[in-house]
Amino acid sequence: EVDWFSLASILFLLMFAPLIVYYFIMSCDQYQCSLIDPLTDLLTGNKHLSDIWNKTPMLTYRAAAIYTLWVAFQVLLYVFVPDFCHKFIPGYVGGVQEGAVTPAGVVNKYEINGLQAWIITHLLWFANAYYFHWFSPTIIFDNWIPLLWCANILGYAVSTFAMIKGYLFPTNAKDCKFTGNFFYDYMMGIEFNPRIGKWFDFKLFFNGRPGIVAWTLINLSYAAKQQELYGQVTNSMILVNVLQGIYVLDYFWNEAWYLKTIDICHDHFGWYLGWGDCVWLPYLYTLQGLYLVYHPVRLCTANAVGILILGLIGYYIFRMTNHQKDLFRRTNGNCKIWGKKPEYIECSYMSVDGTKYYSKLMTSGFWGWARHFNYTGDLMGSLAYCLACGFEHILPYFYIVYMTILLTHRCLRDEHRCFSKYGKDWKRYTAAVPYRLVPGIF
Ligand code: NDP
């Protein structure tokens, strides 16, 4: 059943999300990252929409070639280069790994080679920047709007293809979800784990690459642009590069673990993931770096250190909370959390074929403080990126606003799902751990 609120939200996002991305990027390109000035110009009649549009760079052959090469290169690394990192990096889990059990009871296998793809891509980037000079390190910044059109084309193409595939040739028909509402199905997806062949998994590929591999390259390109424009890279730009770099590396270091997170093991693949990974993520998660090209903020040492500490504490909480749940689930509770045996609630649920499964919900460690303390850490880190940009404009703060909405909505969505799954056992859990994000407040 698709309720009216969900349908209205979906229609809103389908219509406005591409415009929001365009508005942010255009306001940097034409208005020095002011979000107010374009509106003022339009409302006062100083400019017409056509004036803004006419100044917007269009799709170019160069951008199309760069983007095609980029995506093709990531496909090549994903499909044709089996992971070798796990063979020599101690503690890294890569190579062939199993995902979670799907609602239809399927366990998919994945080739986890994202860290390797990230390393190869970045080695090539640095080799080019310092040695080969095939292209300028500012190439991404210099083609940013033409590349936006390419990313949109891919985002819409892959979401539309996924929908058609869901109807005509699904990878696993039993894991498809049809609500009967076209817009909902297009946005939230029909197929659970669409694949081409044995290994090309849409969710794993689009979730991590090309978007997340590109994230650090985009930031490097912004840093290179600062260097070109001002003869130096500011400490704020370095902070954003370092803190977001840690977040990206963490993603690839834990790619096998991400197979058990909501995006991969609960969401179906539609426009939300397809377009979101191609356009929303690379364009809006990197707004701080883009802003700093136009406003090269120089932070005093105390502020820079304060922001670094906030970012690192946020990252620590994010990582440790995720680690505690992972360890707890992997060992089925036979582990130590903060030096003690973990406390938990036993629970059970049924899959669609009527099989009964048992699970455990931990109530100690960070999971005893709040039900989503990993999100709290994530939000602290996100705030740190924004603070690095100073207080002159609101544009760089979009990220923390967006992440707060995303993660709060995710809390509610996840809890709704967990309640449907575990029923009264979930109620016992929420009674034992009453807060969601901030103990004593929410
Ligand atoms: P979680 O890793 O928190 O996973 C939620 C699931 O964990 C629940 O559905 C339930 O699954 C299980 N669970 C819940 N409570 C407990 C408990 N007490 N003990 C054991 N298991 C429990 O959520 P996500 O997958 O959303 O997030 C993973 C990470 O990714 C987070 O740190 C988040 O911040 C980050 N993230 C970042 C995003 C970004 O855009 N930057 C976007 C999304 C996520 P089950 O059915 O198995 O019981």
Side-chain angles (χ1 to χ4, degrees):
E1 291 274 322
V2 180
D3 59 78
W4 277 104
F5 180 73
S6 303
L7 186 59
S9 316
I10 281 166
L11 290 176
F12 176 84
L13 282 173
L14 281 173
M15 280 189 293
F16 292 108
L19 284 179
I20 293 172
V21 179
Y22 169 72
Y23 189 82
F24 274 87
I25 305 303
M26 174 281 295
S27 51
C28 279
D29 187 44
Q30 298 185 26
Y31 289 88
Q32 296 283 309
C33 297
S34 166
L35 289 178
I36 313 285
D37 289 355
L39 275 181
T40 319
D41 262 1
L42 289 173
L43 292 176
T44 55
N46 202 12
K47 278 206 178 143
H48 296 289
L49 275 177
S50 57
D51 298 325
I52 292 181
W53 183 248
N54 289 339
K55 271 185 79 182
T56 301
M58 292 294 123
L59 180 62
T60 58
Y61 282 117
R62 182 172 162 75
I66 295 169
Y67 197 75
T68 310
L69 262 174
W70 163 249
V71 177
F73 183 55
Q74 290 308 315
V75 172
L76 190 118
L77 291 178
Y78 177 57
V79 180
F80 298 108
V81 191
D83 186 69
F84 59 84
C85 283
H86 70 281
K87 295 192 175 149
F88 68 90
I89 305 182
Y92 170 66
V93 181
V96 177
Q97 299 293 328
E98 287 188 347
V101 187
T102 70
V106 176
V107 177
N108 285 303
K109 283 193 162 56
Y110 296 84
E111 173 72 39
I112 298 297
N113 58 2
L115 182 67
Q116 169 177 287
W118 187 88
I119 293 172
I120 294 174
T121 308
H122 284 71
L123 283 177
L124 280 174
W125 176 270
F126 282 107
N128 168 68
Y130 292 102
Y131 189 70
F132 293 116
H133 307 294
W134 293 316
F135 54 84
S136 161
T138 63
I139 190 169
I140 303 178
F141 176 88
D142 296 338
N143 292 279
W144 203 215
I145 296 186
L147 286 171
L148 174 63
W149 309 133
C150 303
N152 267 289
I153 292 170
L154 181 65
Y156 277 97
V158 78
S159 318
T160 309
F161 177 75
M163 177 135 187
I164 296 170
K165 181 173 169 337
Y167 276 104
L168 299 184
F169 49 102
T171 305
N172 189 329
K174 280 192 183 158
D175 267 324
C176 286
K177 185 181 71 179
F178 297 94
T179 63
N181 184 301
F182 173 83
F183 295 108
Y184 187 93
D185 288 351
Y186 184 67
M187 170 110 176
M188 299 311 290
I190 291 174
E191 272 202 85
F192 196 48
N193 291 301
R195 284 186 172 208
I196 291 181
K198 199 173 165 204
W199 293 108
F200 188 86
D201 184 88
F202 278 52
K203 261 200 242 172
L204 187 66
F205 179 76
F206 285 100
N207 203 32
R209 322 83 175 272
I212 301 187
V213 178
W215 189 344
T216 33
L217 289 185
I218 295 165
N219 280 345
L220 286 170
S221 181
Y222 292 154
K225 194 69 193 178
Q226 259 200 352
Q227 178 71 39
E228 182 187 293
L229 291 174
Y230 312 106
Q232 58 159 293
V233 179
T234 59
N235 55 0
S236 51
M237 179 67 95
I238 295 172
L239 261 179
V240 168
N241 266 264
V242 168
L243 289 175
Q244 295 190 346
I246 293 173
Y247 195 72
V248 167
L249 253 178
D250 176 274
Y251 174 86
F252 287 115
W253 182 265
N254 295 293
E255 197 180 19
W257 167 82
Y258 268 95
L259 296 178
K260 310 280 163 73
T261 64
I262 293 178
D263 285 337
I264 303 276
C265 77
H266 300 310
D267 285 344
H268 289 238
F269 187 87
W271 186 86
Y272 171 73
L273 287 179
W275 181 86
D277 292 333
C278 290
V279 182
W280 188 268
L281 190 155
Y283 276 83
L284 296 189
Y285 284 26
T286 56
L287 276 180
Q288 289 83 22
L290 180 65
Y291 174 85
L292 292 171
V293 173
Y294 294 92
H295 301 268
V297 173
R298 287 173 191 84
L299 298 164
C300 68
T301 310
N303 285 354
V305 171
I307 291 167
L308 180 66
I309 291 173
L310 175 70
L312 292 179
I313 293 178
Y315 171 71
Y316 175 79
I317 292 175
F318 161 82
R319 172 58 22 233
M320 284 316 291
T321 313
N322 287 326
H323 170 72
Q324 286 180 353
K325 187 186 84 176
D326 183 44
L327 181 68
F328 172 77
R329 280 280 168 95
R330 260 192 296 118
T331 58
N332 198 23
N334 294 313
C335 59
K336 291 232 162 121
I337 302 291
W338 291 345
K340 287 193 283 190
K341 266 196 93 52
E343 292 161 22
Y344 54 83
I345 283 175
E346 296 270 9
C347 44
S348 62
Y349 62 95
M350 296 271 200
S351 69
V352 277
D353 63 3
T355 316
K356 190 168 185 180
Y357 291 91
Y358 292 91
S359 188
K360 293 181 172 75
L361 294 166
M362 181 163 49
T363 53
S364 58
F366 281 127
W367 293 87
W369 288 16
R371 299 199 291 270
H372 299 275
F373 213 58
N374 47 350
Y375 293 176
T376 311
D378 208 344
L379 289 174
M380 288 166 70
S382 308
L383 180 63
Y385 315 154
C386 303
L387 290 173
C389 299
F391 297 105
E392 215 181 303
H393 282 278
I394 50 172
L395 179 134
Y397 286 84
F398 168 80
Y399 190 67
I400 182 66
V401 173
Y402 163 72
M403 284 298 279
T404 306
I405 297 171
L406 174 89
L407 294 178
T408 310
H409 177 248
R410 201 172 256 255
C411 276
L412 304 176
R413 201 156 63 97
D414 185 47
E415 300 208 345
H416 179 72
R417 195 192 64 80
C418 286
F419 178 62
S420 321
K421 181 174 173 181
Y422 297 121
K424 61 179 177 9
D425 292 334
W426 182 255
K427 279 199 164 169
R428 285 197 294 133
Y429 171 61
T430 56
V433 186
Y435 293 101
R436 291 188 175 103
L437 288 176
V438 187
I441 297 177
F442 176 67

